[in-house]
Amino acid sequence: MAIKILYIISTLERSGPVNLLYNMVKYLDKRKFTPVILTLSPEKSNSRLKDFLELNIKVESLGLSKIKGMIYQEALKEKIFKEKPDIIHSHGFRADLLNSLIDKNTFYKKVCTIHNYPQFDYSMLYGKFLGNILAKLHMLMIKKMDVIIGVSKSVTKNLITNFKLDPNKTLTISNFIDNEVFQPISDIRLRYKLREKYNLPSKMILFSYIGQLIKRKNIIFLIKTFKRYFSTNENIGLIIVGKGEEEKYLKQASKNLRNIFFLGYQENTAEILHLSDYYISASLAEGLPMSVIEALACGLPVILSNIEPHREIIELNQDIGVLFNPYNELDLKEKILEILKKDYSIMRKKILELVNNEFSAKIKIKKYENVYKALLQ
């Protein structure tokens, strides 16, 4: 009989955790595992619900507000009783809270995946005082899990070192990508057709950022650097893709700049990567960014802020990109000029070798399957 896994997540709004969950249920061996997804709140306009349904994955929703979705246990218990899962696997603060409140004396095994550095993310979102309280609360929740999975070695290290989680049940399974969607373009002419589609310069060297437009992502730093050092250079440009609370501020900061392009929210991010030459991120905190892994899968060299999860990627192979100080504009300028001098074809070859060995969905999903099987033995 197949092992039934109930995945709990806030919504299926397009984001790193949701993209990872999609890859998990897509590549899970359906002969041995039956995935069911339970969301807590109504879906938004950029939901990936349709994508999950096209995989013939059962998706249920409690349809609760954010507040009710954190405290309303009865609806959750009703769904669990109905589905009778063998394992409950939660993603995110709200989902982990509800998962932790399930009676530990039940036969359900509980797993959670941690996608971030809670003490950094929550402080940037809610302020230092409330952020620290939420981080500690989150850690109290996940101590009740049978297995805790960090999406990178650095995330797992943070959980064990700073929050004293049990190292015997805290492990790492790094993020991975859907190789069928994110892969290099077969014909370079497609790059120029895509640039024409999005009204972008055909000959400009384009650096792209894809993600939320929020303070933690430090996008204003990228804009200031490109404005200061490359605004008069007709050969180098920056693409910014996404939406968020800083969108208006960032657009104002780049007003009248001819080398910075806002494309708004785009569902087909693979197209953006295919029309780009490099991927860039100045983020101040990450778990293991899906957007960076997706860019690598498309063969793009990366220019990344010198934070631990980014170092973890670059240390796998020094030829795939460079690191810069996310508080020093001159350093970023020099690192951009440095990477432009490197042999692009050699970097691309090393990148694709790395992706196949380290971030392939078909390899990584086996690790999740092994965790599930070991829990039930």
Side-chain angles (χ1 to χ4, degrees), residues 8-263:
I8 306 177
I9 194 164
S10 291
T11 70
L12 297 178
E13 179 181 4
R14 188 177 294 274
S15 64
V18 171
N19 293 343
L20 176 63
L21 178 58
Y22 176 83
N23 296 339
M24 289 171 62
V25 298
K26 179 177 180 178
Y27 288 98
L28 205 63
D29 188 342
K30 306 305 189 302
R31 297 167 299 176
K32 299 177 181 178
F33 301 91
T34 301
V36 176
I37 296 174
L38 178 64
T39 63
L40 304 180
S41 298
E43 295 300 321
K44 298 182 180 179
S45 58
N46 60 340
S47 170
R48 293 199 67 183
L49 175 60
K50 182 181 176 182
D51 297 335
F52 284 87
L53 295 177
E54 287 177 352
L55 295 176
N56 292 318
I57 302 297
K58 184 178 181 181
V59 180
E60 299 264 3
S61 179
L62 298 183
L64 303 171
S65 67
K66 281 193 174 183
I67 299 299
K68 286 185 177 180
M70 287 195 290
I71 60 176
Y72 195 62
Q73 299 178 53
E74 293 307 314
L76 176 66
K77 289 179 180 178
E78 184 180 329
K79 290 290 185 184
I80 291 172
F81 180 78
K82 176 184 174 183
E83 295 297 337
K84 295 182 171 58
D86 299 292
I87 295 170
I88 300 173
H89 188 160
S90 51
H91 293 258
F93 184 95
R94 298 165 63 206
D96 290 343
L97 173 58
L98 288 174
N99 197 359
S100 71
L101 293 174
I102 297 169
D103 189 349
K104 67 179 181 180
N105 294 319
T106 63
F107 58 85
Y108 307 117
K109 295 296 183 180
K110 298 188 283 188
V111 181
C112 71
T113 295
I114 302 300
H115 299 262
N116 60 4
Y117 280 60
Q119 70 271 38
F120 296 150
D121 278 20
Y122 299 155
S123 292
M124 289 184 183
L125 276 172
Y126 305 110
K128 191 171 183 180
F129 178 74
L130 181 57
N132 285 335
I133 292 175
L134 291 174
K136 290 175 181 177
L137 177 60
H138 198 173
M139 294 307 103
L140 288 175
M141 300 173 201
I142 67 175
K143 284 181 179 179
K144 298 180 181 180
M145 307 294 175
D146 295 292
V147 174
I148 303 154
I149 300 171
V151 297
S152 66
K153 291 178 182 177
S154 52
V155 165
T156 303
K157 178 183 175 183
N158 178 58
L159 295 173
I160 294 172
T161 304
N162 294 320
F163 295 101
K164 313 302 179 187
L165 297 190
D166 184 352
N168 293 316
K169 66 174 186 178
T170 308
L171 53 94
T172 301
I173 303 178
S174 64
N175 280 341
F176 53 90
I177 46 83
D178 186 347
N179 305 74
E180 296 177 4
V181 174
F182 296 95
Q183 53 184 277
I185 52 174
S186 56
D187 188 342
I188 195 66
R189 288 174 295 184
L190 176 61
R191 175 169 294 175
Y192 302 108
K193 288 182 180 178
L194 288 172
R195 290 190 180 190
E196 184 178 348
K197 174 182 176 179
Y198 289 93
N199 296 314
L200 294 168
S202 60
K203 296 182 180 180
M204 187 176 278
I205 298 171
L206 293 177
F207 295 76
S208 63
Y209 163 81
I210 302 173
Q212 293 177 296
L213 308 187
I214 57 176
K215 188 175 182 181
R216 174 170 61 86
K217 299 294 186 176
N218 199 25
I219 305 159
I220 188 63
F221 174 83
L222 294 178
I223 290 173
K224 287 180 178 179
T225 303
F226 274 75
K227 180 178 181 179
R228 182 174 181 180
Y229 294 109
F230 300 113
S231 60
T232 58
N233 189 328
E234 296 182 357
N235 296 320
I236 297 176
L238 172 66
I239 302 169
I240 299 172
V241 176
K243 65 178 184 177
E245 60 193 34
E246 286 207 317
E247 183 173 359
K248 186 176 180 181
Y249 163 62
L250 296 172
K251 286 182 176 179
Q252 183 63 34
S254 57
K255 189 175 181 180
N256 299 325
L257 293 179
R258 300 176 64 183
N259 66 330
I260 297 180
F261 309 94
F262 282 86
L263 300 186

Side-chain angles (χ1 to χ4, degrees), residues 327-343:
Y327 300 98
N328 187 321
E329 294 170 18
L330 178 60
D331 186 50
L332 173 55
K333 172 217 170 186
E334 291 174 348
K335 293 300 170 60
I336 288 174
L337 297 177
E338 176 187 325
I339 203 168
L340 290 176
K341 293 177 183 177
K342 292 179 179 285
D343 188 308

